[in-house]
Each structure stands twice: as structure tokens, then as C-alpha cells.
Amino acid sequence: MSGLPSEYIRDFIAYNSKKKISDSANIADKAKEIIYGDRERVYGHPGKNLELIAKFWSDYLGADIKADNVCDMMILLKLSRLKNTPDHEDSMVDLIGYTLLKKRIKE
């Protein structure tokens, strides 16, 4: 896997760097609440769910997909949505959430 496309990340950062810091902190806090709160209470540790998704995707694609690859691909999905609707807060929250999950699955 070649990784995340830097031009999309650069565009996302450039656009969002114009926003107020308090807005960014609020979005990051929402992402943390989701990852460490409701989602974990409902689904358990995210590593378990992401490993299952990786297995399904691996079987479907005939490729070796890992949990952190699932996070990367979901980040790409959120980036593509934000290209079309850059102010959509839910996609921003999810993008940050999947980024945090990459660390969380190693805990």
C-alpha cells in the first residue's frame, strides 16, 4: 500500500488551518469522545472490529489488509467527502477519529 495521498491531506490541512482553534479543538474532542466513549461501550475495543473488517476486505479483495489499513482507507473516504463538502463537521470528526484509532488499536 502506498499510503495516503499527500495532496489531499495538504488541501485538508490548508483549508482547516483557516478555522478557529476552538472549532478544531471541539472537533478533536468529539472524535475522542466517540472513540473512547459510546463506540467502545457498544462494540468493545476497536481493534477487534477493525481486524474483522480487515479480514472481510482481505477475503473480498484477495489482498492482505490489516486493521491500520482499514483506518487508512476510511481516512481516504472521509478526505474524499471533505473535498466535496469541506465544512461537513461529521466527516472531520470521523477523519480525526480514524487517525486516533490507528494509535488506539495498538493499546
Side-chain angles (χ1 to χ4, degrees):
M1 308 244 162
S2 61
L4 300 174
S6 59
E7 68 273 6
Y8 290 119
I9 295 170
R10 186 179 55 246
D11 290 350
F12 176 76
I13 291 169
Y15 177 82
N16 284 289
S17 66
K18 297 173 189 167
K19 291 180 165 276
K20 291 187 227 167
I21 299 229
S22 61
D23 292 345
S24 299
N26 186 37
I27 290 168
D29 288 341
K30 286 181 182 179
K32 288 177 191 173
E33 287 174 23
I34 290 169
I35 290 172
Y36 291 96
D38 290 342
R39 296 291 194 286
E40 188 156 337
R41 280 191 291 279
V42 172
Y43 300 112
H45 191 278
K48 181 179 175 184
N49 190 42
L50 290 166
E51 286 293 337
L52 183 58
I53 294 167
K55 181 186 178 332
F56 288 159
W57 288 3
S58 293
D59 291 347
Y60 183 81
L61 296 170
D64 186 26
I65 307 292
K66 304 290 185 204
D68 64 330
N69 300 133
V70 172
C71 292
D72 289 341
M73 288 185 274
M74 295 305 295
I75 290 167
L76 291 171
L77 177 123
K78 297 302 176 176
L79 281 171
S80 71
R81 288 185 177 169
L82 285 166
K83 275 298 250 188
N84 295 316
T85 54
D87 290 322
H88 193 253
E89 186 175 300
D90 188 56
S91 290
M92 289 182 224
V93 170
D94 289 347
L95 184 142
I96 293 168
Y98 284 112
T99 303
L100 293 171
L101 278 176
K102 285 187 67 134
K103 179 181 179 232
R104 180 79 175 101
I105 59 179
K106 294 175 182 10
E107 294 174 352

